[in-house]
Amino acid sequence: MSEYIIMTDSTVDLPKEYLIEELQVPYIPLSYIMDGVTYEDMSGLSGKEFFDKIRAGSLPTTSQVNPEQAKKALEPYVKEEKDILFIGFSSALSGTFNSIRMAAEELMEEYPERKIITVDSLCACLGEGLLVYKAVQLKRAGKSLEEVAKWTEENKLHICHNVAIDDLNHLHRGGRVSKTAAIMGTMIQIKPIIHMNDNGELQVIGKQRGRKKALQHIVNMAVEQSKGWENDIIMITHGDCEEDAQYVAKLVREKMGIENILINCIGSVIGSHTGPGVVAVFCMGEKR
């Protein structure tokens, strides 16, 4: 059995050191432009610096990975005679995955003895991160490239994304939700609830009056979704609102009985579209 690695892109939003050192998963960075400066996701501004700039009126724009960048990132591992399982950002939200797929096909033509399997996660943020985490667990348990790829394809729609947004206008500006949906986000004390649907698209599925109710609601969603599933970890992301994330973690411990919780500030590329104040809970469940 050939040696293989698991790769991903920066929209997994896992802590950089955890991704590289603990999980040993290299990543391909997307980029963003803020105030005329281009930054690489995971290596640019800190979460606080980034969201403080947005609060001050800066409007970041994001850039997908192109096929040339993808090939440049993948080829060194192929040259080391390693096969690759690449788990990528939802193709419904970015053209990055298509660039990865094109680069993989080109590399397999140039290196016919190598295998590169690409999985469109239909996930984002720590939903994508959770899928990568599970894939690493399987690899460490001795599963082959094909076995891990098969599991990720079969289980990616069991990765549930439960998201409380403070202001939908950021998602509308980036083309992720409709203008009608964004208008709802401007209503006083109405906090939209969104999720990732089975097509890998962000979808508004409800609203709650008040911040605390919205945070409680996304935990209640996870409780229902996860019934009958063994979740060894719950992941929580936030848009520079650590206190709210800790409150959600407290609810997860109380209602789900899970102590292993990973909390991380949302990355700059995803955060460009959600804005500050977002909080999300990610778990495995029967359906999204």
Side-chain angles (χ1 to χ4, degrees):
M1 184 170 67
S2 298
E3 183 181 357
Y4 73 96
I5 64 165
I6 296 171
M7 288 188 70
T8 189
D9 52 58
S10 63
T11 58
V12 287
D13 286 354
L14 290 162
K16 183 177 179 179
E17 295 76 16
Y18 178 78
L19 180 66
I20 295 173
E21 296 175 13
E22 173 62 26
L23 299 184
Q24 298 184 329
V25 172
Y27 70 92
I28 300 177
L30 280 72
S31 60
Y32 61 98
I33 300 172
M34 181 169 263
D35 300 329
V37 179
T38 300
Y39 301 92
E40 279 193 353
D41 199 18
M42 283 195 179
S43 300
L45 299 168
S46 70
K48 181 165 180 52
E49 290 170 333
F50 177 77
F51 286 114
D52 278 349
K53 283 180 174 289
I54 290 182
R55 293 181 183 107
S58 296
L59 296 175
T61 57
T62 60
S63 179
Q64 66 190 41
V65 173
N66 63 44
E68 183 180 349
Q69 291 170 320
K71 184 178 180 182
K72 185 178 179 181
L74 295 171
E75 191 166 21
Y77 300 101
V78 172
K79 285 182 175 180
E80 292 175 3
E81 299 185 353
K82 293 177 181 176
D83 293 335
I84 300 171
L85 170 60
F86 190 93
I87 301 173
F89 186 25
S90 173
S91 62
L93 298 179
S94 171
T96 292
F97 179 77
N98 193 47
S99 294
I100 302 295
R101 182 186 56 77
M102 291 169 61
E105 290 175 355
E106 186 174 333
L107 283 168
M108 284 191 290
E109 289 181 3
E110 295 176 13
Y111 301 85
E113 71 282 6
R114 298 272 61 84
K115 180 176 290 187
I116 305 173
I117 299 178
T118 56
V119 175
D120 180 358
S121 72
L122 300 178
C123 297
C125 193
L126 286 178
E128 184 183 352
L130 181 55
L131 193 63
V132 168
Y133 168 86
K134 292 290 187 181
V136 170
Q137 284 185 315
L138 291 170
K139 180 177 184 290
R140 289 177 175 175
K143 301 297 184 183
S144 68
L145 168 66
E146 291 79 7
E147 288 173 323
V148 178
K150 182 174 185 289
W151 187 94
T152 56
E153 285 286 3
E154 291 175 348
N155 287 274
K156 63 189 184 183
L157 295 184
H158 291 298
I159 304 290
C160 304
H161 305 53
N162 304 304
V163 190
I165 294 286
D166 230 21
D167 183 353
L168 272 175
N169 285 310
H170 295 283
L171 283 167
H172 170 60
R173 183 172 59 81
R176 267 57 181 185
V177 299
S178 69
K179 183 177 181 180
T180 301
I183 290 172
M184 185 173 70
T186 66
M187 297 168 63
I188 297 174
Q189 289 301 304
I190 296 298
K191 304 300 179 184
I193 304 298
I194 66 176
H195 82 147
M196 187 76 78
N197 66 21
D198 286 353
N199 296 319
E201 303 163 328
L202 295 172
Q203 181 178 31
V204 179
I205 56 172
K207 56 187 178 181
Q208 292 290 314
R209 185 171 294 278
R211 176 71 164 175
K212 186 152 286 190
K213 285 187 177 179
L215 298 179
Q216 293 167 349
H217 186 72
I218 59 174
V219 175
N220 291 338
M221 290 171 64
V223 170
E224 289 301 313
Q225 291 161 337
S226 63
K227 285 180 177 176
W229 285 73
E230 291 292 333
N231 275 283
D232 65 319
I233 190 170
I234 298 294
M235 297 189 179
I236 299 171
T237 194
H238 64 91
D240 193 30
C241 50
E242 173 80 22
E243 190 174 326
D244 287 340
Q246 292 293 347
Y247 172 69
V248 167
K250 176 176 175 289
L251 294 178
V252 166
R253 294 186 186 99
E254 291 173 354
K255 297 188 175 189
M256 302 180 73
I258 297 172
E259 293 293 331
N260 188 17
I261 299 172
L262 184 148
I263 300 175
N264 194 40
C265 186
I266 199 167
S268 299
V269 166
I270 303 294
S272 295
H273 302 290
T274 63
V278 60
V279 179
V281 179
F282 304 87
C283 67
M284 292 202 71
E286 185 57 32
K287 62 180 181 179
R288 293 181 169 181

